Amino acid sequence: MSKLTASFRLMRVGFILAREGVLSALPSDGLPASLAFFHRFAGWFARKRSKKTNRSENMSRAMNKLGPSYIKLGQFLATRPDIVGSEVAKDLSSLQDHVDTFPHEQAIAQIEGSLGRKIDDLFVEFGPAIAAASMAQVHPATVRNPDGSLRKVAVKVIRPGVRRRFAKDLEGFYLAAEMQERYVPAARRLKPVSVVDTLAQTTKIEMDLRLEAAALSEIAENTRNDKGFRVPAVDWERTGRDVLTMEWIDGIKMSDIEGLKSAGFDLNALAVTLMQSFLKHTLRDGFFHADMHPGNLFVDKDGCIVAVDLGITGRLGKQEKRFLAEILYGFITRDYRRVANVHFEAGYVPPHQNMESFAQANRAIGEPIHGQSAETISMAKLLTLLFEVTELFDMQTRPELLLLQKTMVVVEGVSRSLNPHFNMWKAAEPVVKEWITKNLGPIGMAKDLTEGAQSLLTFARRTPELVRSVERIQKGADKMAQEGLHLDDDTLKRFALMQGKQNRFGRYAVILIAVCMVIITYKLVV
């Protein structure tokens, strides 16, 4: 029944997207004849007003009608141009989740339920919401310090019922992904079910404000000695699953260019600090703020950049950090074979592909860039082109690298808004060079040897356990060879039950198609 319910939800989604003119505005080039027909058919359902507005406005209106889960889905897909295409991803990246605030009394109930204390015991004052999004809203408040002084804080409160609503909509996302993998072979490389898994995981993390508080704490610890960048301090006493209390930031948004100029800040210095901070977080720490749009960045009175809203973060392992540093350095030095070699060593490009051909493709990306002035070279565009080329060589989708690419596009855009002539490569080179020196030079080799010795020692300690495991596996294999493979009655019953469910779902699909045709006929006649 859950699949049947999810099917009806998807039908409603399709109808709203068609009515708001989203489906008919999507690119139709290269579509098979059957899909091209449905593309034209969707245009008949579109409202007249949708034809007078652009696609991004129609998308925003449709996503807000569909609710918080679909707003998050749209924002998530904006990080995956490999799935939706670069044009649609660009439209989705402008999708804002500004929605109506929920009642003040419900916010208080959420806080008291999460922390187990009365609102008057927690805050001296608790003001009305000043901003609301799909998942939460923010309230200004005042707390009393142990010495009796007052301190202003920002209180983020989860929207009531949002977890239940997301869980229901998630069923529809999985159904759509499963159908895509089953009926669209070309889409299997993109692993749509895994994409939904990633969305589910990141959103669940975002809906537990204790984890956002932990992200703030981790980045604060990583950047405690960095100049020019910080995050708000967390008030752990007033933080729980549904509420996050943190330092109130008085500053100028980085989107307010005129305000920054009037305050006397050096815009180029801010751009350099922002870019270098992001690269340090990525390469040095392997943990970065993945939603660094101008609305989440402030400049305080001391000229320090303060990043807020860490609901979305990204992580890179050692291999991914090396991959990023090597390709950036390889393009800087025009060593295209080095760039290709890193892709093959990391296993991102299958070994059956030709490395020389891949190096040639990288040269096609790099050489035009070296013919331009440094101010016009876009690091984010370079990564975008690189990922487009890797598709030709069967590179498997790497979600963590795409999230990095998306964030770099945003950070680069903010830096260039501060200074249109900002030299991206000059700002990035010290950070990339330092990381390569420490991790790929003699110091890095010594570190790798130490880690390797530790791994060997751990392996040696586990040798007796591994030997016993191998013996058990060998005995099991010998028994199977002698007696054959046997399935117990319970296993056979489960197989039969699963097969029955699949058959029933097939019948449900036929019924749904028939219902759709009746609705379509009715619409055409009436």
Side-chain angles (χ1 to χ4, degrees), residues 115 117 121-122 144 146 151 234-240 245:
L115 301 179
R117 296 166 63 184
D121 295 336
L122 294 164
R144 191 178 301 280
R151 171 169 50 94
V234 176
D235 184 337
W236 285 102
E237 180 187 353
R238 298 171 179 84
T239 293
T245 304

Side-chain angles (χ1 to χ4, degrees), residues 28 30-42 183-184:
S28 59
L31 287 178
S34 57
L35 292 180
F37 168 76
F38 282 110
H39 184 273
R40 291 193 301 271
F41 185 75
Y183 300 114
V184 187

Side-chain angles (χ1 to χ4, degrees), residues 140-155:
T142 306
V143 300
R144 191 178 301 280
N145 294 318
D147 61 3
S149 60
L150 299 179
R151 171 169 50 94
K152 190 175 182 181
V153 293
V155 185

Side-chain angles (χ1 to χ4, degrees), residues 208-267:
D208 189 334
L209 296 183
R210 294 169 298 188
L211 299 179
E212 182 176 344
L216 284 164
S217 177
E218 183 174 349
I219 287 189
E221 186 175 325
N222 291 341
T223 61
R224 63 183 179 277
N225 296 321
D226 293 353
K227 294 182 179 179
F229 184 93
R230 68 184 183 91
V231 293
V234 176
D235 184 337
W236 285 102
E237 180 187 353
R238 298 171 179 84
T239 293
R241 183 174 181 240
D242 297 333
V243 56
L244 166 60
T245 304
M246 59 195 141
E247 172 191 0
W248 180 270
I249 301 299
D250 280 318
I252 303 171
K253 281 189 177 183
M254 293 195 79
S255 56
D256 184 4
I257 304 298
E258 293 303 319
L260 293 172
K261 287 181 180 178
S262 301
F265 292 118
D266 184 336
L267 299 189

